[in-house]
Amino acid sequence: MPADRSAPTTVAELVRSRVDDAGEGLRFEGRTWTWAEVVAEMEVRARWLAASMGDGPPHVGVLLDNVPEYLFLLGGAALAGCVLVGINPTRRGEELARDIRHVDCQLIVTDTEHVELLDGLDLGAAGDHVLVGDGDAYRVALAEHRDASSPLPAPPGADDLYLLIFTSGSTGAPKAVRMTQGRAAGSNGRVMGFRPDDVLYCAMPLFHGNALASMVFPAFGTGATLVLRRRFSASAWLPEIRAHGCTFTSTIGRVLTYILATPETEQDRDHDLKFVLAPESSAMDMKAFKRRFGVAVFGGYGSSENAIVLSTSPGQPPDALGTPAPGTDVAVVDPETGEECPRACFDEDGRLLNADVAIGEIVGRDALSRFEGYYANDEAAAARSRNGWYWSGDLAYRDADGVFHFAGRNADWLRVDGENFAAAPVERILRRYPGVTGV
């Protein structure tokens, strides 16, 4: 299919496409903004950031919950050509300081709730430039740039660095994934079919790629309404989905488990959701969620690096990761030999018979062009890019139809009596027993 030449090529263009949009753009804790009002706030941040530039675009750390200021800074950084760094507020002490120093933050925007996390830490260049977003000094600084007659910075290009997104750090210190304006703009919501009358419920943290790629950038691109929730709450999930008439939401990891743990109500199917995206959810939770709430749930596979994407489709097994897009070369490979693993074999009850040879690492053999690397971590980038392929670090097996199934992380691969055991298949066995809801 030929490229859509009308599609914006940068996030700055996505933002500018909403400049005259009188449709509802943002809802947060009883307040609403039109898209035109949202863009106006983003432009204020862009002018302020441009005035803060020294020799080059600053790296701006954001230590906030899901609040409107975070969204305004995302758009402002895009317009100004700055690099925005989402800082994980669950990090503490030296780990938090290390993250900030590693990505060369020159200033940090936080609030009165989170600023205490930074007390006494060596923040490097950002140490004397911590701004409290709900404080008077920050409001005064922004007020100086509300004159709409002052010009915005020159628009950035598609190859300009826009975001640094930290990985989870489950297998070591978090790595800062590079995301350019062009890659971020590719998540414009057109593939997902969103329209201006859709309402997207965003309770996943804005420092994570899931929220940005599945809700924020699609809202920019389509004019759908974005509902921000400060933090995820399982008990508030359904009442807010219903109250706002939300048509889509995205979760990740164990979030479905937490929602399913809430008491069932007569309103469980009284909502406007069309579908839910829930990568890394278990097949059991996805099935239970669909049965209870009557809405389709799609899993799939992806990562902040964006090098490999697998999508599920109707008719695939419920625990499947899915299949790659047509024309992309993704395989399950033995990490020691580099040879592609044989397809999985199952008995009549669906038990995997050849796990010892069928399980290997998910590898993108044509994916390096989609991998934009890690910031200031060439060693980690080289480890991902061995032999001209992208090595995901995740284990899987592939069935006879070419569908991928998750088998754990390569760090979870155990060798016992000369045989390799992956974690995910063992977890699936344990979850078959009555009363087991998590592993």
Side-chain angles (χ1 to χ4, degrees):
M1 180 181 296
D4 182 356
R5 297 186 182 277
S6 67
T9 60
T10 66
V11 178
E13 291 178 2
L14 286 181
V15 170
R16 295 297 300 165
S17 72
R18 306 264 74 81
V19 68
D20 295 320
D21 189 342
E24 190 176 26
L26 173 65
R27 299 180 197 168
F28 177 77
E29 296 182 355
R31 288 195 61 187
T32 62
W33 291 258
T34 66
W35 272 117
E37 291 170 333
V38 169
V39 174
E41 292 296 333
M42 292 173 172
E43 290 177 340
V44 171
R45 275 71 179 172
R47 295 188 185 94
W48 167 67
L49 288 169
S52 304
M53 290 186 185
D55 296 332
H59 288 201
V60 183
V62 180
L63 181 59
L64 295 169
D65 288 330
N66 285 7
V67 294
E69 186 59 35
Y70 205 139
L71 190 73
F72 300 155
L73 285 166
L74 278 165
L79 292 171
C82 294
V83 179
L84 188 139
V85 183
I87 301 173
N88 186 342
T90 66
R91 302 275 283 174
R92 293 291 187 274
E94 178 53 29
E95 290 186 344
L96 176 60
R98 176 262 173 203
D99 290 350
I100 293 169
R101 294 195 306 269
H102 175 70
V103 293
D104 297 321
C105 284
Q106 291 142 290
L107 60 93
I108 296 173
V109 178
T110 184
D111 57 17
T112 51
E113 180 181 355
H114 294 94
V115 69
E116 293 181 356
L117 297 177
L118 304 175
D119 288 348
L121 300 183
D122 176 9
L123 305 179
D128 295 327
H129 304 281
V130 176
L131 301 174
V132 179
D134 51 357
D136 291 338
Y138 186 66
R139 283 191 284 267
V140 169
L142 293 182
E144 298 175 358
H145 300 280
R146 289 193 176 277
D147 182 0
S149 64
S150 60
L152 289 169
D159 293 331
D160 288 346
L161 183 61
Y162 169 46
L163 295 177
L164 293 175
I165 301 176
F166 282 106
T167 60
S168 64
S170 58
T171 58
K175 298 178 286 292
V177 178
R178 296 168 53 90
M179 179 181 285
T180 60
Q181 288 258 350
R183 177 155 79 91
S187 301
N188 55 36
R190 298 188 180 194
V191 171
M192 301 178 78
F194 294 142
R195 303 182 308 180
D197 58 351
D198 278 307
V199 181
L200 316 183
Y201 182 73
C202 182
M204 296 296 98
L206 293 178
F207 61 79
H208 193 276
N210 174 273
L212 298 175
S214 66
M215 289 173 281
V216 174
F217 299 146
F220 289 178
T222 63
T225 301
L226 187 67
V227 178
L228 275 185
R229 190 172 212 288
R230 190 179 296 265
R231 299 187 188 98
F232 169 75
S233 166
S235 61
W237 183 85
L238 181 61
E240 292 187 354
I241 290 284
R242 297 180 65 244
H244 289 286
C246 296
T247 59
F248 171 80
T249 190
S250 180
T251 73
I252 196 167
R254 305 268 186 200
V255 172
L256 292 190
T257 304
Y258 306 143
I259 295 171
L260 289 167
T262 61
E264 295 190 25
T265 73
E266 295 180 354
Q267 291 79 40
D268 282 350
R269 293 196 171 206
D270 182 14
H271 56 73
D272 295 318
L273 285 174
K274 299 175 182 177
F275 69 103
V276 171
L277 186 66
E280 299 185 17
S281 299
S282 73
M284 182 181 295
D285 283 346
M286 293 170 71
K287 182 178 180 180
F289 189 93
K290 183 177 181 179
R291 181 176 61 247
R292 175 173 167 180
F293 296 103
V295 62
V297 185
F298 296 93
Y301 172 87
S303 66
S304 300
E305 291 89 342
N306 194 50
I308 300 173
V309 176
L310 305 174
S311 302
T312 57
S313 59
Q316 291 183 357
D319 60 349
L321 293 179
T323 53
T328 58
D329 184 8
V330 183
V332 175
V333 170
D334 185 320
E336 295 182 359
T337 67
E339 297 293 325
E340 186 167 350
C341 295
R343 298 297 173 94
C345 298
F346 305 90
D347 65 14
E348 59 185 13
D349 296 317
R351 294 183 177 89
L352 179 61
L353 297 176
N354 61 336
D356 56 330
V357 295
I359 293 176
E361 188 166 346
I362 303 174
V363 172
R365 295 186 291 202
D366 62 350
L368 287 187
S369 63
R370 298 187 292 276
F371 175 46
E372 296 181 325
Y374 301 116
Y375 184 79
N377 196 338
D378 292 341
E379 182 179 353
R384 281 277 188 258
S385 309
R386 302 191 309 275
N387 303 325
W389 297 347
Y390 176 83
W391 298 75
S392 69
D394 292 321
L395 303 176
Y397 52 92
R398 203 172 185 184
D399 65 25
D401 296 321
V403 179
F404 288 73
H405 301 256
F406 187 62
R409 313 291 185 189
N410 59 6
D412 299 330
W413 208 345
L414 307 176
R415 192 166 184 84
V416 181
D417 293 334
E419 293 189 21
N420 290 319
F421 287 86
V426 176
E427 289 185 3
R428 293 192 190 104
I429 293 171
L430 294 176
R431 288 178 70 98
R432 295 173 188 164
Y433 288 87
V436 174
T437 59
V439 178

